[in-house]
Amino acid sequence: MASSTTARGVAAIVGVGPKLGRSIARKFAHEGYTVAILARDLGRLSRFADEIAREEKAQVFAIRIDCSDSTSVIEAFEGVLSLGFVEVLVYNAYHQPVSRNPTSFTDVKIDSFEKSLAVSSLGAFLCAQQVLPGMVGRRRGTILFTGQSASLHGIAGFSELCCGKFALRALSQCLSREFQPLGVHVAHIIIDGVIGISRGASASEGGDESETEPMMDPDAIARTYWHLHVQDRSGWTEEIDLRPSNHILL
């Protein structure tokens, strides 16, 4: 891979699909960053990279990653780090359950539970380990973790998701306390709502069109990720929760 020639560093977005990840990648490309987008489906990822590069006149690289596999993460980040200094890491990956319906605890399969934990927390741990040395050495950088309402409250029938997201939130807090004094901004973003498809995505990519909950605009959410990155050091956010204005709090 060719190294980045832009004045800014590299933004690595892990977990890029047709919704939020794609929008975050587009936003950072628009702001002048070389962007590395990572996910398991390299074919779809390459289409996103070509689309964003064309629209934003930016360098966008598609790199395959399996966040549950340490070897895959290390190999993927060898490619990312070859592009230049990784100034921004956004960890947006999570294990998509087979069904959105609740699963009785006694019916949860061990391999599925382990996979959810691995993608939500182990993958975040591994990705952060790859980029933190460079950030600390330069005393600048941003790491943003995507959470959900499941990061805060246990939900009956969703033990796989909740345990993984609880662990991710704990990791974010630990890294924040350790590395913010060294110049690295670490923040956890709680998405409390259903995200719609991003600009340019087809309806087939967006999933269930029968969704009745208020939809959150992924491009608007991506702007919040950008604002977190450019926050003044005198007032860094450690955690923020986002929800649509007509969302009913329980």
Side-chain angles (χ1 to χ4, degrees), residues 94 113 115-122 150-151 158-170:
Y94 82 105
F113 188 84
K115 184 79 169 181
S116 183
L117 284 176
V119 174
S120 289
S121 55
L122 176 61
S151 306
F158 292 94
S159 57
E160 298 169 78
L161 176 64
C162 293
C163 289
K165 286 299 184 181
F166 266 59
L168 178 65
R169 186 185 188 216

Side-chain angles (χ1 to χ4, degrees), residues 18-230:
K19 297 183 180 182
L20 181 57
R22 187 189 209 171
S23 291
I24 295 171
R26 182 185 289 115
K27 177 60 178 175
F28 278 85
H30 179 76
E31 298 295 341
Y33 279 80
T34 293
V35 177
I37 58 175
L38 300 93
R40 288 196 303 169
D41 187 340
L42 185 58
R44 184 172 71 168
L45 205 60
S46 296
R47 293 196 297 274
F48 293 163
D50 291 343
E51 167 198 290
I52 297 169
R54 183 177 62 255
E55 290 178 355
E56 303 299 340
K57 306 296 189 291
Q59 291 183 303
V60 184
F61 299 87
I63 301 174
R64 187 186 184 280
I65 193 171
D66 179 350
C67 294
S68 67
D69 182 271
S70 60
T71 300
S72 176
V73 173
I74 292 169
E75 290 177 350
F77 271 85
E78 287 177 355
V80 175
L81 293 168
S82 74
L83 301 174
F85 164 53
V86 179
E87 184 180 340
V88 181
L89 169 65
V90 176
Y91 193 82
N92 186 56
Y94 82 105
H95 178 55
Q96 181 70 44
V98 176
S99 172
R100 293 187 62 182
N101 297 321
T103 301
S104 171
F105 179 73
T106 56
D107 293 332
V108 175
K109 305 300 183 185
I110 293 175
D111 59 345
S112 180
F113 188 84
E114 290 177 338
K115 184 79 169 181
S116 183
L117 284 176
V119 174
S120 289
S121 55
L122 176 61
F125 166 86
L126 292 167
C127 291
Q129 278 199 332
Q130 305 309 304
V131 303
L132 272 167
M135 293 179 177
V136 171
R138 293 168 178 77
R139 299 192 70 85
R140 68 185 176 98
T142 303
I143 298 177
L144 303 174
F145 296 110
T146 300
Q148 304 179 356
S149 53
S151 306
L152 303 177
H153 310 289
I155 306 170
F158 292 94
S159 57
E160 298 169 78
L161 176 64
C162 293
C163 289
K165 286 299 184 181
F166 266 59
L168 178 65
R169 186 185 188 216
L171 176 67
S172 180
Q173 292 178 358
C174 291
L175 296 185
S176 174
R177 285 156 175 76
E178 182 173 354
F179 292 103
Q180 286 197 171
L182 302 178
V184 182
H185 185 191
V186 181
H188 181 240
I189 301 94
I190 299 167
I191 308 298
D192 187 13
V194 179
I195 300 174
I197 60 175
S198 68
R199 172 168 51 91
S202 64
S204 61
E205 289 177 317
D208 186 3
E209 295 181 345
S210 64
E211 184 64 61
T212 58
E213 295 183 50
M215 303 294 277
M216 301 177 72
D217 180 356
D219 293 336
I221 299 172
R223 290 193 290 272
T224 297
Y225 281 69
W226 172 254
H227 291 318
L228 288 169
H229 171 54
V230 298

